[in-house]
Each structure stands twice: as structure tokens, then as C-alpha cells.
Amino acid sequence: MLSYHDLKPNPRVLRAFTSLDPEEFEILLIPFEKAWQNYINRYYIHKKSRKRRYGGGRKPHLVAIEDKLLFILFYFKVYPLQEVIACLFGMSQGRANEWIYKLTPILEAALGEAQCLPERAPQNLEQVLALCVAVDFMIDGTERPTHRPTDPIEQKDQYSTVVFWPTIDDSSSRHDRLLLGK
């Protein structure tokens, strides 16, 4: 069974499994643990229809909080079949599915608290860029297929001359190869 404590001594392997170094993993672990405690308090401890105290019943396969974070980071980095991740973490496919759906919003909350989520609203882009003064950004313009306008003037304005299907040119009127001089 995979465990964080088995992977921690080998940072290269941990990075291959999660895209994080041990130091970055430990930093993310703090908000993840807070989000996990909030989840437990909301759905288990303060649940009114409980028949047993929290902690009763079968024991989970992912006991340590580090293993929970490793599980969900590994899932989102590699996107293995649930059968594969279940085999690696010593559980059934159904149990792996439950953990994925349980830990996904917890990871999202932890990333939000750590301010690591990407900005989705374009109107907030200036605020995000102002917070990241020392970081260089590059915007990748991509041509994408679209419907062909019937007006010849619109056709001339919107289409790149390099590709052979109608596209909207998001970056500029010249193709990247022309900019490179090739």
C-alpha cells in the first residue's frame, strides 16, 4: 500500500506521484488538514441523525491525513483507473470512488485557503497580476475552429491565412512560424 511516509525519503518519487516536493507537500498539508476537520465536524460529529459516536464502525483504509492528501493528489496528477488506484492504496474500487468524491472538495477548499487555485473570472485578472509582481506570465494564443461568416470582409478580418479551416485567430494576424522567421 502506498504511504506518504514511504515516499517522503525519496523526493523524486514523491514529485512523480504528486508534482510536489516534500516541503510543498507539508505546506499544503496544513490547509488540507483544516479543511478535513471542517468536513468531519460538519458531516460526522455534528450530524443530528447519528446512531453511534464518531469513530465507531469500520476503520478507513486512509488513516493518516498525509495519506489522504497523497491519494487525492496522485489521483489528479496521474488520473489512473479507479481499479489501479484502489490496488495501489489497498482498497476496493468502490472505496476508491468514495474517497475521490469525498476528498475532491476538501482539496479544493485547501487550495483555496492556500490561494493556489487559478482565477476563473477574467475581470479579476488585474488583481491577480498585481499580487504576483515577481512572476513572469505568458499568454498562449490558440486558433480554434469556428463557423464561417458569410460576409467577405468579416472573413478577411477573422481568419489566419496559414491554416486550412476557418478559425478565430486569438493571438495575432500572423502565424507563430512567421514571427520566428521560419
Side-chain angles (χ1 to χ4, degrees):
M1 182 176 124
L2 279 178
S3 170
Y4 172 69
H5 296 291
D6 295 337
L7 298 178
K8 186 179 178 181
N10 193 342
R12 197 178 98 234
V13 174
L14 182 65
R15 179 179 277 280
F17 274 66
T18 65
S19 296
L20 298 176
D21 293 327
E23 298 82 25
E24 295 169 331
F25 190 93
E26 296 289 337
I27 290 170
L28 182 58
L29 187 61
I30 295 167
F32 185 79
E33 192 166 9
K34 282 184 193 174
W36 174 254
Q37 286 304 320
N38 289 340
Y39 176 83
I40 293 298
N41 286 336
R42 175 189 272 162
Y43 292 106
Y44 291 101
I45 295 177
H46 298 300
K47 188 176 178 181
K48 299 206 186 264
S49 63
R50 289 198 63 85
K51 295 180 182 174
R52 290 181 275 200
R53 280 187 306 127
Y54 173 71
R58 68 175 163 77
K59 300 301 175 206
H61 291 282
L62 300 174
V63 179
I65 191 72
E66 294 90 353
D67 293 339
K68 292 174 178 72
L69 182 57
L70 175 68
F71 177 88
I72 197 66
L73 288 175
F74 175 70
Y75 175 75
F76 281 120
K77 171 142 192 307
V78 180
Y79 277 115
L81 294 174
Q82 290 180 0
E83 284 289 341
V84 173
I85 198 168
C87 181
L88 289 172
F89 283 88
M91 62 182 77
S92 68
Q93 180 272 326
R95 211 53 81 210
N97 183 295
E98 286 179 23
W99 277 113
I100 290 166
Y101 281 95
K102 187 183 290 187
L103 293 176
T104 297
I106 295 169
L107 178 64
E108 187 175 353
L111 289 171
E113 185 177 326
Q115 296 181 348
C116 295
L117 286 174
E119 181 57 52
R120 298 289 184 200
Q123 61 269 22
N124 298 338
L125 183 61
E126 288 183 21
Q127 295 171 346
V128 172
L129 292 175
L131 292 173
C132 305
V133 177
V135 180
D136 291 331
F137 291 96
M138 179 177 75
I139 298 175
D140 184 18
T142 305
E143 292 184 343
R144 52 195 162 96
T146 185
H147 294 288
R148 183 179 174 94
T150 55
D151 184 26
I153 296 171
E154 285 183 35
Q155 288 179 4
K156 203 173 218 180
D157 290 340
Q158 290 188 1
Y159 294 122
S160 170
T161 57
V162 178
V163 292
F164 299 108
W165 60 83
T167 60
I168 293 175
D169 192 0
D170 287 342
S171 56
S172 67
S173 61
R174 290 183 281 170
H175 195 273
D176 292 340
R177 286 186 287 184
L178 296 174
L179 292 174
L180 290 174
K182 291 183 180 178

